[in-house]
Amino acid sequence: MELRVLRYLTAIADEGNLGRAAATLFVSQPALSYALRKLESELGVRLFDRHAGGVTPTAAGRDVIAEARRTVRQAERVTAAAERHRTGRTGVLRLGFEATGAGELTTRARAEFARLHPDVRVRPKRFDWSGEADALREGRVDVAFVWLPADLTGLHAEIVHTEPRIVGCAATHRLAGREGVSVTELGDEPLMWTERAPRAWVDWWAINPRPDGREPRWGPTNDNVEEMLEQVADGAAICFAPASMAHYYTRPDLAWIPLLDAEPLRVALAWPEDADTPLIRAFADVVRSLAP
């Protein structure tokens, strides 16, 4: 089994059509068809059902394709590691985070790491709702501050930060100016949410179900923090957020109120279990030294 054939397999799955897959791979369709038949013969299972519109993965095909994707990504990591050494670009640490990350710990850790490792560049990369764990598994970042709950499969993770949650609302909202609010007082308030994150993540942030067993009143959806805050400022809904958001997203048309009876946000420092590099270990040591 060759890596080239696994790349063929993922391309066929992505395109759903042998002709289009062949075009993206710059190979002939007969050659691609032959490679697929040979792979199916080698594995002893049919990977795709053929039909007039193209191809659809079989149950076996879906499992094999998932493993093929992981293998191709890992091979790309091997190539990337060699390329960094070949070009002398070994001093880069890609740091993922979501919205405010781990609050001030994120900024302090980056500053202290830069002081201790002046030849290493920390490249920050922000992700939208619950995207940082997938980015680690896909090799797009080396280490990340991950908001929990999250799928930590294949990752080493340790909790390094907690912070209370707050309610965001328009500056003209009836809650603005309160010193604190209970979740039981918010039953009729429409709540911002997202379809881009796993349902368990959405429900945790929404405190669903509420203490009285009811669901929140769902408001508009959003794809990122900026969209969320624009709609909150317009009065379309309220939002729940970590306390650090009141500091990092201060604006005159928003008000932030402590949420008195909500479980705090836990933030984990995470990295792939199979990518424990000296730079990652050094950054983790810095974070541990600064964490409460």
Side-chain angles (χ1 to χ4, degrees), residues 8-21:
Y8 287 178
L9 183 61
T10 61
I12 295 169
D14 290 339
E15 296 296 337
N17 181 282
L18 286 172
R20 290 196 298 269

Side-chain angles (χ1 to χ4, degrees), residues 18-229:
L18 286 172
R20 290 196 298 269
T24 63
L25 293 165
F26 299 101
V27 299
S28 70
Q29 184 172 337
L32 186 60
S33 297
Y34 174 78
L36 176 58
R37 288 196 304 271
K38 184 178 178 182
L39 179 62
E40 288 178 321
S41 176
E42 179 180 347
L43 296 176
V45 294
R46 191 177 75 257
L47 300 177
F48 291 94
D49 289 325
R50 281 75 165 173
H51 50 79
V55 294
T56 303
T58 62
R62 287 192 293 271
D63 287 345
V64 171
I65 291 163
E67 294 299 330
R69 291 190 194 280
R70 280 190 278 270
T71 301
V72 169
R73 285 198 297 266
Q74 189 60 43
E76 289 171 350
R77 286 182 180 176
V78 172
T79 303
E83 175 69 10
R84 287 196 298 270
H85 283 273
R86 186 182 67 79
T87 60
R89 295 184 292 106
T90 56
V92 176
L93 182 72
R94 300 169 300 165
L95 173 64
F97 63 97
E98 174 177 346
T100 57
E104 292 185 1
L105 177 60
T106 307
T107 306
R108 292 169 57 214
R110 286 179 58 194
E112 178 64 7
F113 185 80
R115 185 184 70 81
L116 295 173
H117 303 275
D119 295 331
V120 178
R121 178 186 172 194
V122 177
R123 183 181 298 161
K125 174 64 176 175
R126 199 199 82 180
F127 295 92
D128 295 321
W129 309 134
S130 193
E132 62 274 29
D134 284 342
L136 284 169
R137 279 187 288 269
E138 293 166 5
R140 289 181 283 153
V141 291
D142 303 305
V143 62
F145 289 107
V146 178
W147 284 7
L148 303 180
D151 178 7
L152 298 175
T153 304
L155 304 178
H156 170 87
E158 51 193 84
I159 295 173
V160 295
H161 177 71
T162 62
E163 61 181 273
R165 284 190 274 176
I166 55 178
V167 179
C169 63
T172 56
H173 194 279
R174 65 179 180 85
L175 296 173
R178 289 275 298 270
E179 294 184 358
V181 64
S182 168
V183 67
T184 58
E185 301 178 66
L186 303 172
D188 295 328
E189 293 288 342
L191 181 70
M192 295 295 306
W193 66 291
T194 182
E195 296 176 312
R196 297 193 58 179
R199 188 68 206 194
W201 189 95
V202 172
D203 285 338
W204 186 86
W205 273 103
I207 312 178
N208 181 34
R210 297 292 168 79
D212 59 6
R214 292 191 300 167
E215 275 201 24
R217 180 184 170 194
W218 300 106
T221 62
N222 66 90
D223 289 342
N224 53 60
V225 65
E226 288 81 10
E227 289 182 9
M228 180 182 77
L229 296 183

